[in-house]
Amino acid sequence: MVTDQTDQSAAGHPSAPETPEPEPREECGVFGVWAPGEEVAKLTYYGLYALQHRGQEAAGISVADGSQVVVFKDLGLVSQVFDEQVLSSLHGHVAVGHCRYSTTGSPTWENAQPTFRTTAAGSGLALGHNGNLVNTAELLERATAAGAVDTRGGATTDSDLICGLLAAAAADTGIEQAALELLPTVRGAFCLVFSDESTLYAARDPHGVRPLVLGRLERGWVVASETAALDIVGASFVREVEPGELIAIDEEGLRSSRFANPEPKGCVFEYVYLARPDTTIAGRSVHATRVDIGRRLAAEHPAEADLVIPVPESGTPAAIGYAQASGIPYGSGLVKNAYVGRTFIQPSQTIRQLGIRLKLNPLREVIRGKRLVVVDDSIVRGNTQRALVRMLREAGAVEVHVRIASPPVRWPCFYGIDFASRAELIANGLDLDGVRRSIGADSLGYVSLEALVAASEQPRTRLCSACFDGKYPIALPDEARIGKHLLEGIEKGVAGSAAPVHANGYGAADALSRP
Ligand code: SF4
């Protein structure tokens, strides 16, 4: 046991409270449906319900009936924003849905999506976006010159900027042509689903960083962030929306256009943590990938132990794989409260001091007297694992060997995931033994990037792994880097903007109050 060696103040990582840190969070889920004769608002509701894990801050649905576009959106979970009465009032044959991720900052109604504009030609445009742009300042400059910044609406997202630019350009050429001209100039990660009165559109950035899939209903089409959302609404999977592709669906059928050459760089972290286990990405089951990662983890970092337990839920498949490959029995040693992080009620100080127990509680009769292998999906700041190891020891574990189903996270993500700033990442400042000592584990092992890539069954060249190796596949202008490291810098960088648009889609005030 090495509890005495726990060093919480090593190398720039001062002692942290035993509160569970926020998990890495997606920046959104998107869903769209074109289906005359179907209840498109309800289909979208269930699609968003399936994608709730990708965004829990706000939800919205737009419907179009051929003559108008109506948007209903609010802060909260999908089930909190919509009820039977609201859904029954949303009529049409085209719908766009969006769920937005939750921050501890000040989420605003204005930033909820779909975001809406009226084109100069008088048609409505509703848009939902999953991703993160990296040339926001440049787009803002263009939007300002074109009078496309909505100064009254109050939205401060990069998504609203795309919507404004699209609406401005559509006045001359129509939305489809405007999108084909605008999208090649937009840099970063984006999956867009948008509609006017009669047509559903979907577009994916040339790198295909975030997933976006196309499905078929008996009487229509569906697009969604993940295949699990297709399953839930009874749609059959057709194919992925290709990187660099724009799809338009109306009564004439489905049209596919290319706005850029594809250079696939899918996010490898989707396999580790972000996507649902019942989703398939690039033909590979996320659950099967996670089990395989666990097997490889066991081969790379064996342990002498009595029991393998997961940190539920995202650590579970990898723990199963670890147990299979190592021959060490698998067991449930931690019970997770599935509703933690899904409330807007802030806990009082007394409750907050319960820390990680709000989220995870040990099964003492399972743990007592055992040498444990604990499998988790990733370590970001290390606070959660430190609290977890201590909790397991207090519950009677005699050894705690931590195994992580991803390589050390050393770099921030600029393409749609909120980890932390680089300075906050524990593996950025500490070597392996430093992290082990900081979290108080008897041993620590991360799966290698090579093993992770092999488990995904994707060619290494088609994946983004920048948060592990710092090799960013989409060039980052200075303001994007500044946005993650020096938030006040972005305000100076966006000259003349009263409501600066942060590179990750949040106003600076929101970003500053992030964990
Ligand atoms: S930096 Fe990491 S989380 Fe972000 S897109 Fe790349 S692999 Fe995914």
Side-chain angles (χ1 to χ4, degrees), residues 209-210 267-269 274 412-415 417 419 464-467 472:
V209 177
R210 300 276 143 243
C267 169
V268 77
F269 208 73
L274 301 169
C413 174
F414 296 92
Y415 309 138
I417 308 303
F419 285 124
C464 172
S465 51
C467 48
Y472 292 98

Side-chain angles (χ1 to χ4, degrees), residues 48 147 164 169 196 248 252 280 286 293 367 396 489 508:
L48 292 181
D196 57 13
E252 288 169 16
T280 297
V286 170
I293 292 169
I367 287 167

Side-chain angles (χ1 to χ4, degrees), residues 263-280:
E263 298 173 56
K265 290 287 180 188
C267 169
V268 77
F269 208 73
E270 292 276 354
Y271 291 101
V272 171
Y273 170 77
L274 301 169
R276 284 174 57 132
D278 52 344
T279 276
T280 297

